[in-house]
Amino acid sequence: TQEPESSQQEEVKEPYVSPIDFNALQEGNPDIYAWLQIPGTEFDFPIVQRVGDDSFYLTHDSDGNESPAGAIFTESAYNTTTMEELLTVAYGHQMHAGTMFGKLQETYSQENALEDYGEIVVYLPDKELHYTVFAAVPYDNRHILYNYDPTDPRRVTAFLNSVYEVREIGAQFSDTVTVSAEDQILVLSTCLAGNSQKRYLVLAVCQTMID
């Protein structure tokens, strides 16, 4: 008897192909490891990490050239380049010209911003991560990953509690997205407009991974 076709041939999963040409990007600068997009906005740029020198991209662009605008970066002291920690923080300057994270606060202070700009996509060479924004808040200038171990669910819970305790004007929270310390959370961090001693954070939880 002839086996049914479905059992004769197992479906072969096609390997993931990133829409971002990481080979070309990394030839120019091997520190580029991811690409950040926020659909419906101008946020569309690489994420970099310089192992052993976490302040490098405060003063250098994603090509590695000196630039006061810097680049969007993560810290090798606390985060890997796999985005697998419970908590990943990506930093960018709040540039008056609007570059980098210059328009982050303006964008997420709008009415219905969490719905209109609720998706963040991070592309990696071997997968893409789709995040849903659940909060956008003014925050103090404590170093998040130093104070809240990104590998410890209890410390991540403490960080989330500190975010939900923010009662400042401009804080926005989703009432439809649930988050736990077991989730993978992405934090976009920049200076608070008008007060460089404080920070403005956009927080999102990973809900889909395509690999």
Side-chain angles (χ1 to χ4, degrees):
T1 59
Q2 190 172 359
E3 290 286 329
E5 261 188 52
S6 59
S7 62
Q8 278 185 358
Q9 187 174 357
E10 291 290 330
E11 186 177 337
V12 178
K13 182 181 178 183
E14 291 293 323
Y16 174 77
V17 178
S18 177
I20 307 298
D21 189 346
F22 281 102
N23 288 332
L25 290 170
Q26 291 171 347
E27 279 180 16
N29 182 4
D31 289 347
I32 296 173
Y33 75 92
W35 194 280
L36 173 77
Q37 287 182 354
I38 304 179
T41 75
E42 299 172 12
F43 298 102
D44 186 14
F45 25 53
I47 303 177
V48 289
Q49 186 180 99
R50 174 64 61 99
V51 175
D53 188 357
D54 285 332
S55 63
F56 183 82
Y57 286 106
L58 286 168
T59 56
H60 293 77
D61 64 21
S62 59
D63 293 323
N65 302 315
E66 283 195 30
S67 168
I72 306 304
F73 69 95
T74 58
E75 295 175 298
S76 65
Y78 303 96
N79 284 139
T80 66
T81 56
T82 65
M83 308 288 285
E84 290 177 348
E85 284 81 37
L86 299 173
L87 203 54
T88 297
V89 180
Y91 303 91
H93 285 311
Q94 202 268 64
M95 301 300 292
H96 294 300
T99 54
M100 296 301 103
F101 281 163
K103 292 185 178 178
L104 195 69
Q105 183 174 346
E106 177 187 332
T107 299
Y108 283 95
S109 295
Q110 297 175 38
E111 190 177 357
N112 300 321
L114 270 57
E115 291 79 24
D116 295 343
Y117 313 114
E119 182 182 34
I120 297 175
V121 185
V122 174
Y123 296 97
L124 296 161
D126 61 344
K127 60 188 174 185
E128 60 190 68
L129 304 171
H130 291 252
Y131 296 82
T132 300
V133 178
F134 64 89
V137 298
Y139 198 73
D140 59 41
N141 65 354
R142 79 188 82 172
H143 190 291
I144 295 169
L145 296 176
Y146 175 82
N147 286 283
Y148 303 103
D149 182 345
T151 64
D152 183 345
R154 291 173 302 173
R155 298 304 299 147
V156 174
T157 297
F159 167 65
L160 290 172
N161 289 341
S162 76
V163 168
Y164 283 117
E165 287 167 2
V166 173
R167 292 292 177 266
E168 291 193 40
I169 294 173
Q172 296 208 58
F173 301 96
S174 170
D175 54 10
T176 60
V177 182
T178 56
V179 187
S180 79
E182 302 300 325
D183 292 316
Q184 291 175 335
I185 296 163
L186 173 65
V187 181
L188 309 183
S189 174
T190 193
C191 288
L192 184 70
N195 186 349
S196 60
Q197 298 307 305
K198 300 191 77 172
R199 299 290 176 263
Y200 186 79
L201 309 181
V202 173
L203 300 97
V205 58
C206 186
Q207 296 198 316
T208 308
M209 181 180 74
I210 301 172
D211 59 4

